[in-house]
Amino acid sequence: MKKLINKPEDVVREELEGIAYAHSDLVKVHFDPNFIVRADAPVQGKVAVISGGGSGHEPMHGGFVGMGMLDAACPGAVFTSPTPDQMLEATKAVNGGAGVLHIVKNYTGDIMNFEMAADLARAEGIEVEAVVIDDDVAVKDSLYTAGRRGVGTTVLAEKLCGAAAEQRRSLKEVADVCRKAKELGRSMGMALTSCTVPHVGKPTFDLPEDQMEIGIGIHGEPGRTRLPLKSADEIVEMLMEPIVSDLPYKAGDEVLLFVNGMGGTPLIELYIVYRKAYEIATKHGLKVVRNLIGSYITSLEMAGTSITLLKMDDDFLKLWDAPVKTPGLRWGV
Amino acid sequence: MKKLINKPEDVVREELEGIAYAHSDLVKVHFDPNFIVRADAPVQGKVAVISGGGSGHEPMHGGFVGMGMLDAACPGAVFTSPTPDQMLEATKAVNGGAGVLHIVKNYTGDIMNFEMAADLARAEGIEVEAVVIDDDVAVKDSLYTAGRRGVGTTVLAEKLCGAAAEQRRSLKEVADVCRKAKELGRSMGMALTSCTVPHVGKPTFDLPEDQMEIGIGIHGEPGRTRLPLKSADEIVEMLMEPIVSDLPYKAGDEVLLFVNGMGGTPLIELYIVYRKAYEIATKHGLKVVRNLIGSYITSLEMAGTSITLLKMDDDFLKLWDAPVKTPGLRWGV
């Protein structure tokens, strides 16, 4: 196992210490239970937006805490749901009196633990709404999931909801933005290599030198099919076809095109992926009006990519363009 | 070779097409010869700042073209110097009448070709200064270099010089900023794995599963030593000691700490590296007043990291904090 780590059991704590040293102007890191909140939390009168999930997907979610995006993020152990007490303490820490939105990726453990935290928070008088993102068109029902998995649309939903909350929209309105993103976002990913969970010490799955996995999950869950390695253009066709043919895209729609790296894939390859994805979207009559290109929802050092399309409208465009100031995404400030 | 590419000979062109599709609001891409210029070039009365080098180090340099950073970047073939005609055409395209600064990394081919381009531009009446960055403390004289190699400080110098040019400083003053960054920046890197140049098709060097290379160059040039794999903390000690003990750092100095990923290393590991690098800097009495953490000067899909320290002063702080709007680095706008 070749990684820049110390003891496997210290990976998450030491990562959080690094974030605390690096970004004390933007965030505060709490330990035991572990969560990251924006430095000025709680913001009175503003809906708070929280997400969380297993570690190993950085910068998601901790890197998206700050003005214009998340109020808090709860990192679990690597590829392991955070515990209810993490979400509960984070919910209490960021509650500014206007309610708290939980953005949850569709994995069974995450849903169960977020639900428990929401119930406990409500018992303490905090208004909580939860929206579950399930945008992965690759497979229905998977290793850790009933229904579709939650992947790239989560990043986009966090940006949009964070901007809506900054405008002082109500909890219901911010949750509506999230529900709309969930309805209008579609993703699919693939892997060239496996990743290795630090405390396991060996690759999550075996993938021979001439093979790739199409429809991979962000924890290395099996995808749709394993095939001989193909060209980037052919791979992008295999990802874009199921995304575009799934509801709800039609010619003339404006979309955001998000090309994501899985952690071990360099930017030069992501632009080659973007090139073909853009051409396919355009061929279908879609108008790519915004994009995001980089490694934002990762699977440790896995090599591979995922593509997300999100249908945009005037409200989404304004929310996307609004200022954001986080360690992982920043513009306008 | 597991890569998201089509034909190896098309990698750079297709990457540039992806950049052109993605960032037409920020940059224009010219083909044959290949170079990227900011969308509003030439900016009349402003010194233009240009860099370039082999492809495979993305986002450097093409990702740093835009307001507040580079006016143009010239990408060569993978790990191959751009040709003089690329730099000459880019120099002419961005010349706004106040002169052009060439920021050159210290590799023999880059220096030769940039010098030729500068001579040709001067013959056409354009004032050109060139500054060579040679900040890598790992080795003196290397595979492609006489003297020290140019690495991470280049990214920081491009930001600082871009900001100085936006303030309408003169060519000599912008070049002075670059010369100061060259004097005050020190870097060293290491690799856990090799990278594979697309048209070669096999790893640049063999590195057994239990070995690492300390002092690696960004083209996979040999470093100082090959050792059994160690913990992140021990690795960071091995990188920080030569940096801090080299001129010019002393207790009380303010520094920018840049932890860079080599392309295949995920962010979670870079924060573990940053944690220890920050602690070592602090133990030496250095005050880390700014930082940059991410994969900004890469070696294709190589796993590994490099650390750069740059001594800061009031002028450098203001230039660093100034707005920048490029595909790869953005804040304030």
Side-chain angles (χ1 to χ4, degrees), chain B:
Chain B
M1 173 172 60
K2 284 195 153 180
K3 289 178 185 289
L4 293 165
I5 64 171
N6 297 299
K7 290 183 196 155
E9 60 269 31
D10 294 334
V11 162
V12 173
R13 183 180 53 76
E14 292 182 347
E15 177 218 358
L16 292 175
E17 288 173 1
I19 290 173
Y21 288 148
H23 305 299
S24 60
D25 54 330
L26 299 176
V27 302
K28 282 182 292 195
V29 179
H30 288 253
F31 295 91
D32 303 315
N34 295 341
F35 58 91
I36 302 171
V37 297
R38 53 188 277 182
D40 58 350
V43 182
Q44 291 305 320
K46 188 184 84 67
V47 169
V49 183
I50 295 188
S51 194
S55 292
H57 307 301
E58 291 70 20
M60 189 185 80
H61 303 274
F64 301 140
V65 176
M67 195 284 292
M69 210 159 168
L70 295 179
D71 292 81
C74 303
V78 171
F79 291 180
T80 303
S81 298
T83 56
D85 69 312
Q86 287 179 263
M87 283 91 137
L88 175 63
E89 291 307 316
T91 299
K92 287 157 69 173
V94 298
N95 173 39
V100 180
L101 173 65
H102 288 177
I103 301 181
V104 188
K105 301 193 301 303
N106 190 30
Y107 299 98
T108 306
D110 289 30
I111 288 179
M112 197 173 64
N113 291 348
F114 263 106
E115 275 179 2
M116 198 177 300
D119 286 344
L120 293 167
R122 287 186 195 109
E124 299 196 26
I126 301 172
E127 201 184 356
V128 178
E129 279 222 47
V131 177
V132 176
I133 305 286
D134 55 350
D135 60 318
D136 187 341
V137 302
V139 290
K140 264 198 105 56
D141 301 337
S142 180
L143 205 51
Y144 308 111
T145 321
R148 288 178 166 180
R149 300 176 296 221
V151 287
T153 299
T154 315
V155 176
L156 310 180
E158 290 173 4
K159 169 70 181 82
L160 298 169
C161 292
E166 294 293 343
Q167 294 180 346
R168 300 298 188 272
R169 295 192 195 179
S170 71
L171 179 58
K172 183 190 171 300
E173 289 167 328
V174 176
D176 282 344
V177 167
C178 203
R179 284 184 276 264
K180 194 165 101 178
K182 163 203 172 87
E183 292 303 321
L184 300 180
R186 295 292 187 280
S187 301
M188 190 157 150
M190 61 81 59
L192 293 172
T193 67
S194 178
C195 54
T196 296
V197 175
H199 62 267
V200 176
K202 61 184 178 55
T204 303
F205 55 94
D206 288 317
L207 197 54
E209 186 54 33
D210 61 342
Q211 299 271 310
M212 62 179 179
E213 177 96 17
I214 298 286
I216 194 83
I218 57 172
H219 314 93
E221 308 97 301
R224 283 189 172 191
T225 178
R226 186 167 290 193
L227 291 172
L229 195 57
K230 294 194 185 296
S231 73
D233 283 1
E234 290 169 303
I235 290 168
V236 174
E237 290 269 13
M238 279 185 268
L239 299 181
M240 284 291 282
E241 192 281 323
I243 291 172
V244 174
S245 66
D246 201 90
L247 279 171
Y249 306 109
K250 61 179 192 305
D253 281 349
E254 297 196 327
V255 294
L256 185 156
L257 173 53
F258 171 24
V259 169
N260 175 63
M262 294 301 232
T265 286
L267 198 55
I268 187 169
E269 297 180 28
L270 297 184
Y271 276 105
I272 291 173
V273 169
Y274 184 84
R275 168 187 167 276
K276 187 65 181 178
Y278 178 92
E279 290 179 350
I280 292 171
T282 303
K283 200 182 69 187
H284 280 88
L286 303 178
K287 192 171 170 204
V288 179
V289 292
R290 293 293 183 278
N291 61 62
L292 185 66
I293 303 164
S295 296
Y296 292 100
I297 166 172
T298 60
S299 303
L300 297 166
E301 77 285 8
M302 182 186 282
T305 188
S306 66
I307 298 175
T308 298
L309 275 187
L310 175 67
K311 185 174 161 180
M312 301 294 277
D313 61 15
D314 284 350
D315 189 46
F316 269 21
L317 285 171
K318 280 184 199 131
L319 293 173
W320 182 257
D321 292 340
V324 59
K325 189 173 183 179
T326 73
L329 210 63
R330 181 170 171 185
W331 54 73
V333 276

Side-chain angles (χ1 to χ4, degrees), chain A residues 12 24 44 50 84 171 182 199 226 254 261 316 320:
Chain A
V12 173
S24 60
Q44 292 305 321
I50 295 188
L171 178 58
K182 164 203 172 89
H199 63 266
R226 185 166 291 191
E254 297 197 328
F316 270 19
W320 181 258

Side-chain angles (χ1 to χ4, degrees), chain A residues 91 124 142 166 266:
Chain A
T91 299
E124 299 195 28
S142 181
E166 294 292 344

